[in-house]
Amino acid sequence: MTQELVSLTIIMAVAAVSPIVAQLIPGKFIPQTVLLLAAGTALGPYGLGVIEVNDAVKLLNELGMAFLFLLAGYEIDPKRLAGHQGKVGLLTWGITLGLAWLVVTFLPFFTKQGINGVATVIALTTTALGTLMPILKERNLEGTPIGDAIISYGTWGELGPILAMAILLSTRTGWQTMLVLGAFLAICLLCAMLPTKALKTGHRLYRFLTENANTSSQTLMRLTTFLLIFLVTISALFELDAVLGAFAAGFILRYIIPDGSKSLEMKLEGVGYGFLIPVFFVVSGAAINVRAVAGRPALLVAFIVMLMLIRAVPVYVALSLDKRENPLSSHHRVTVALYCTTALPIIVAVTSLAVKVGTMQSDTASTLVAAGAITVFLMPLLGSITYQVADVHPVTAVREIAHTPSDWRTIVREHAQVRALLHHQDRLKRMAETLESLEKQEGLNGLDSRRAELVERARLEIDRQLKELGLDPQLTTQLPHNYRYPKN
């Protein structure tokens, strides 16, 4: 027990220090997740050896992964899956799966490396949506057209591989696999329908649960945790991967609470991101054998390159062909494609399963997990660069400089000012939307004095900021909205 506590203490010390270190890094370009992975690699069994991955730590690691996929499933709006962008995302993932199979099957490199199996195909099609969500929030991309596109395509990049693992990596025959998945689906539907029916009928039990949600009973939080562990346990009993049960729990929770619950979300994120999820990332880093990775640099680089070609390129092409519905600039399309190439948790799950059944060597699994860890750092970094570059209109600027080279300083300065103006307008738009929602709630005449004062202060702040930019507040609506998506 002492060693378990020592290992957990070190893991939580890393979890506590990581956000501070990430904040101190100039530009904040390294996500906390990368620091957790790096620390786990350095302190784990293949590093200094101060973190021992024993049974207790493994259990917390499994719960951390479960909470990560619970939150990922909860972020998915069923309407988004059924909508136009969701359908395009599904088609894109299907094309990605086909490309991955062709490359892994027929490219001699993968055959020589001994990883031409289904596990490698699945690993090349994944998007780490659960890992991306906190990064999108940190970078204020949530709720923007860029963030919406990442979530739409990333949803199938997470859900598709999970289903593929259950079907393609099963040791059962085809009809047995379908039977087990059907039984699991029936249990999930039952878990979703019972609370929904209780909500519609206003059952006394439901009223009791909601009334005690924020007391010491924490009824909704306890039921959510029970739902998660119950479905993960069912997955284990059915010999399915725990990821499927965790993701299903999050999806069911969103179905039960379609509009979300801020109180419940804060508690889930507190337990998840405050405790269990950092344990998962540190332990994932501890599973990386640095010597094995160093001994196979070609595989490491090739896998990352293949991730970009197989996952990023189809997403970019899909966005380009769907410009009428998603009018993103070329740079913003690259941004979405790069973010969708971030991959780790599914790679950890699929390689662990492949090693367990003997279809992949542990050294190879370490290399693929290391590649996934690198994408968590590399892809959001590259995506952030392309996102910031997009609003500067670089192609247009180059053309203008080529036409009049002597004015290059003025051209660069003007394009930088346009970017600042666009970011400013984005903030103004969010403030205006907040004001509009307040007015719709009660109407201007029905606002109490405190609400009316808030509205007036916000309007004055909008006018003040516009005047600082030398703009007439009466003319702001004339600023072309499509500047947000420069046509390069």
Side-chain angles (χ1 to χ4, degrees):
M1 179 61 72
T2 302
Q3 183 57 48
E4 285 87 341
L5 289 173
V6 169
S7 296
L8 184 58
T9 299
I10 296 171
I11 291 171
M12 294 315 300
V14 169
V17 171
S18 292
I20 301 173
V21 174
Q23 183 71 21
L24 294 175
I25 296 173
K28 305 176 189 176
F29 64 93
I30 299 181
Q32 297 177 32
T33 303
V34 175
L35 299 177
L36 294 171
L37 290 165
T41 303
L43 302 176
Y46 301 106
L48 298 177
V50 294
I51 294 178
E52 181 180 316
V53 185
N54 44 52
D55 290 341
V57 172
K58 285 180 181 178
L59 177 60
L60 291 176
N61 173 59
E62 290 290 322
L63 289 175
M65 184 169 65
F67 258 86
L68 181 66
F69 281 96
L70 168 76
L71 293 171
Y74 180 74
E75 292 288 348
I76 296 174
D77 183 355
K79 295 179 182 178
R80 191 190 300 274
L81 289 178
H84 171 78
Q85 203 168 47
K87 293 176 182 176
V88 175
L90 172 59
L91 177 62
T92 305
W93 182 80
I95 293 172
T96 300
L97 183 65
L99 288 175
W101 179 80
L102 289 172
V103 168
V104 172
T105 303
F106 296 105
L107 196 66
F109 174 81
F110 285 97
T111 304
K112 291 178 181 178
Q113 297 290 331
I115 53 170
N116 57 340
V118 176
T120 308
V121 172
I122 295 173
L124 285 168
T125 67
T126 181
T127 295
L129 185 62
T131 305
L132 281 176
M133 289 310 302
I135 297 175
L136 296 180
K137 291 177 182 178
E138 289 173 9
R139 298 181 177 179
N140 297 318
L141 289 174
E142 192 178 32
T144 67
I146 306 294
D148 290 344
I150 293 170
I151 293 174
S152 293
Y153 285 86
T155 294
W156 285 109
E158 189 113 78
L159 181 57
I162 290 173
L163 295 175
M165 286 173 60
I167 297 171
L168 301 178
L169 292 180
S170 174
T171 56
R172 304 181 181 91
T173 60
W175 70 269
Q176 289 176 328
T177 299
M178 292 299 117
L179 183 63
V180 168
L181 287 176
F184 180 79
L185 177 62
I187 293 173
C188 290
L189 289 175
L190 187 63
C191 291
M193 292 177 67
L194 286 178
T196 305
K197 187 175 181 180
L199 170 62
K200 290 180 179 179
T201 59
H203 195 275
R204 284 184 300 173
L205 176 60
Y206 179 80
R207 291 200 301 271
F208 170 79
L209 294 175
T210 53
E211 289 170 0
N212 290 273
N214 295 314
T215 66
S216 59
S217 299
Q218 293 294 321
T219 47
L220 290 182
M221 183 63 185
R222 292 185 188 184
L223 275 177
T224 302
T225 306
F226 166 72
L227 173 66
L228 172 64
I229 296 177
F230 171 71
L231 290 180
V232 169
T233 303
I234 293 297
S235 298
L237 292 174
F238 285 177
E239 296 183 4
L240 299 170
D241 196 270
V243 168
L244 181 62
F247 200 83
F251 202 75
I252 291 170
L253 188 62
R254 171 59 70 181
Y255 177 79
I256 296 171
I257 316 174
D259 298 325
S261 169
K262 291 294 182 183
S263 175
L264 181 61
E265 289 167 19
M266 288 180 63
K267 294 168 188 174
L268 289 173
E269 290 179 355
V271 175
Y273 293 118
F275 176 34
L276 293 171
I277 294 175
V279 173
F280 166 70
F281 283 119
V282 172
V283 174
S284 296
I288 298 174
N289 186 338
V290 180
R291 292 182 179 178
V293 174
R296 308 183 73 176
L299 176 60
L300 180 73
V301 175
F303 190 79
I304 295 174
V305 171
M306 285 300 161
L307 270 172
M308 297 184 71
L309 292 176
I310 292 172
R311 185 69 183 137
V313 172
V315 171
Y316 178 85
V317 172
L319 287 168
S320 300
L321 295 176
D322 195 35
K323 284 195 291 186
R324 180 174 295 181
E325 295 290 336
N326 299 288
L328 301 177
S329 71
S330 58
H331 289 82
H332 286 150
R333 295 197 295 272
V334 171
T335 298
V336 174
L338 287 170
Y339 272 100
C340 286
T341 314
T342 304
L344 180 66
I346 291 292
I347 293 179
V348 173
V350 74
T351 54
S352 298
L353 186 58
V355 170
K356 187 182 297 183
V357 299
T359 59
M360 183 180 291
Q361 296 180 353
S362 59
D363 288 357
T364 303
S366 286
T367 306
L368 299 189
V369 171
I374 291 173
T375 65
V376 175
F377 162 70
L378 183 62
M379 301 308 169
L381 173 62
L382 296 176
S384 178
I385 292 172
T386 57
Y387 180 74
Q388 293 177 21
V389 165
D391 288 337
V392 184
H393 300 222
V395 175
T396 305
V398 169
R399 290 173 182 167
E400 293 175 359
I401 293 172
H403 187 261
T404 54
S406 59
D407 293 337
W408 70 271
R409 290 187 178 86
T410 303
I411 293 170
V412 171
R413 183 171 63 253
E414 287 177 351
H415 280 260
Q417 289 173 348
V418 167
R419 178 177 177 272
L421 179 62
L422 293 173
H423 284 212
H424 183 85
Q425 187 199 15
D426 204 33
R427 291 198 301 272
L428 293 181
K429 181 183 176 183
R430 287 197 294 269
M431 292 177 69
E433 288 174 349
T434 302
L435 290 177
E436 186 179 349
S437 65
L438 289 175
E439 292 176 1
K440 284 182 178 179
Q441 284 179 12
E442 302 180 41
L444 275 175
N445 296 329
L447 291 172
D448 55 28
S449 58
R450 187 173 181 182
R451 186 70 61 82
E453 181 183 355
L454 174 63
V455 171
E456 185 61 26
R457 285 175 60 186
R459 286 202 173 110
L460 291 173
E461 179 63 17
I462 290 174
D463 291 348
R464 183 189 68 77
Q465 292 182 2
L466 285 170
K467 289 176 182 177
E468 284 183 358
L469 288 173
L471 298 173
D472 184 349
Q474 303 300 321
L475 302 177
T476 53
T477 56
Q478 297 179 14
L479 187 63
H481 180 69
N482 64 0
Y483 270 17
R484 190 70 180 80
Y485 308 109
K487 304 298 181 184
N488 287 330

